[in-house]
Amino acid sequence: MFRQRNNSLHDPESDERQHESKVNELRDAIGPLSGCSLKYCSDECLRRYLEARNWNVEKTKKMLEDTLQWRSTYKPEEIIWDEVAIESETGKAFRANFHDRHGRTVLIMKPGLQNTKSIDNQIRHLVYLMENAILNLPKEQEQMAWLIDYTGWSMSTSVPIKSARDTVHILQNHYPERLAVAFLYNPPRIFQAFWKIVKYFLDTKTFNKVKFVYPKDKESVELMSSYFDIDNLPTEFGGKATLNYDHNEFSKMMSLDDQKTAALWEFTPKNSQPL
């Protein structure tokens, strides 16, 4: 006569309470922090790491401690634009002047415009751009979007597989849940051989965020337009906007952001000049 209520129904309030409990448990597990580590480990940060490890506190603790160790030696927040500016001279990677439909920061990458040989500095440049994109996220946003244009890409301009693996490791393990979506726009057929190897370095969550877009494929183009306003999207990504990368202007903007970063992390920037 009476049916038992289904307790398996999704309860957002219960989920939130459980997640809050996990955040507190993780904070207790990692113990007292100081300096940059304390500032880095906000509740939002702990939630991202927990999400990346499916809310397993023990696994998350290991992941977070590895990141704190990496940040203490690599010091990504202290990289300044002058140290990596050469990497952007051709416009191969930079922060866009528009957002996606969710207000997220957008990074544009054009690997076909590769202009340097130092893999270490290329990775430092990407780390710098990640930190800068995070700096410029709206308060209500935790994630960013990537647009990758494969015009002119060839095996000769691609990074070595080991470097690709190292880069993926940094992004997945030290910037968890920072990527919302990555659009790989019109990659050539030869890219498939490279991708078959690289995709094995990606965890399932990251892999599912990678979207291939081909201008003649209606479904992928519609997916692209669901994320971006076509009027703001550059023509090289199927939009209507004209994108002219000006390295000098971008450098000025990054130099100003360097001082904002230094103020946020409370240190004196190298080559500091007053705002």
Side-chain angles (χ1 to χ4, degrees):
M1 181 175 174
F2 295 105
R3 292 186 178 181
Q4 184 177 3
R5 185 174 179 178
N6 187 352
N7 291 324
S8 66
L9 292 176
H10 184 67
D11 183 353
E13 290 187 6
S14 177
D15 285 350
E16 179 59 30
R17 287 193 297 271
Q18 290 179 18
H19 290 173
E20 186 65 30
S21 176
K22 292 286 187 179
V23 169
N24 293 334
E25 186 179 345
L26 176 59
R27 192 171 293 284
D28 289 341
I30 60 177
L33 298 170
S34 61
C36 288
S37 293
L38 176 60
K39 185 175 289 289
Y40 181 75
C41 291
S42 63
D43 284 356
E44 292 78 13
C45 172
L46 300 191
R47 282 174 174 268
R48 286 194 306 273
Y49 278 79
L50 284 161
E51 180 69 32
R53 289 295 179 263
N54 296 313
W55 298 88
N56 182 303
V57 173
E58 184 178 349
K59 291 180 179 179
T60 304
K61 177 176 179 288
K62 174 66 167 63
M63 184 187 194
L64 183 55
E65 287 176 341
D66 287 347
T67 291
L68 294 179
Q69 177 60 37
W70 174 76
R71 292 187 71 91
S72 71
T73 56
Y74 202 87
K75 298 187 182 302
E77 72 281 359
E78 293 188 21
I79 302 172
I80 63 170
W81 176 246
D82 286 349
E83 296 171 346
V84 296
I86 187 174
E87 300 293 341
S88 274
E89 286 183 350
T90 59
K92 71 182 179 189
F94 57 95
R95 195 182 86 233
N97 61 356
F98 60 91
H99 296 81
D100 71 1
R101 291 188 184 276
H102 298 278
R104 294 181 289 227
T105 301
V106 178
L107 288 184
I108 291 178
M109 303 175 190
K110 300 186 175 187
L113 299 180
Q114 182 59 265
N115 63 320
T116 63
K117 299 294 185 182
S118 172
I119 300 299
D120 288 343
N121 209 51
Q122 289 169 14
I123 293 176
R124 279 176 63 81
H125 177 234
L126 180 58
V127 168
Y128 175 90
L129 290 177
M130 289 292 293
E131 293 285 323
N132 183 262
I134 292 167
L135 177 74
N136 286 280
L137 283 173
K139 287 185 178 180
E140 69 278 8
Q141 283 294 350
E142 291 283 306
Q143 296 182 310
M144 66 190 74
W146 289 5
L147 288 174
I148 308 176
D149 174 18
Y150 280 89
T151 300
W153 186 91
S154 67
M155 292 300 287
S156 64
T157 60
S158 68
V159 298
I161 294 298
K162 181 183 181 301
S163 300
R165 183 184 62 192
D166 292 346
T167 302
V168 168
H169 174 81
I170 289 174
L171 296 177
Q172 286 188 158
N173 291 283
H174 302 320
Y175 294 93
E177 296 301 313
R178 282 302 193 182
L179 179 66
V181 62
F183 287 101
L184 279 57
Y185 195 82
N186 204 27
R189 285 190 176 184
I190 193 173
F191 177 78
Q192 293 298 330
F194 182 75
W195 175 247
K196 283 181 180 179
I197 300 173
V198 172
K199 69 180 182 181
Y200 287 107
F201 306 147
L202 304 178
D203 62 34
T204 302
K205 286 186 176 182
T206 304
F207 179 81
N208 289 335
K209 293 175 181 179
V210 177
K211 313 295 182 184
F212 283 77
V213 177
Y214 298 93
K216 294 183 180 181
D217 180 77
K218 182 180 178 182
E219 186 175 337
S220 63
V221 169
E222 288 177 350
L223 178 65
M224 189 84 153
S225 64
S226 72
Y227 278 85
F228 298 95
D229 183 341
I230 299 301
D231 289 334
N232 293 333
L233 194 65
T235 54
E236 53 262 55
F237 293 102
K240 298 180 180 180
T242 300
L243 177 65
N244 294 314
Y245 174 75
D246 186 320
H247 184 63
N248 289 331
E249 288 302 312
F250 189 73
S251 293
K252 291 177 183 177
M253 185 167 61
M254 293 300 97
S255 294
L256 290 174
D257 276 358
D258 283 350
Q259 295 179 58
K260 295 176 185 177
T261 298
L264 174 66
W265 293 101
E266 299 178 344
F267 65 86
T268 302
K270 310 163 199 173
N271 303 329
S272 61
Q273 295 178 357
L275 280 170

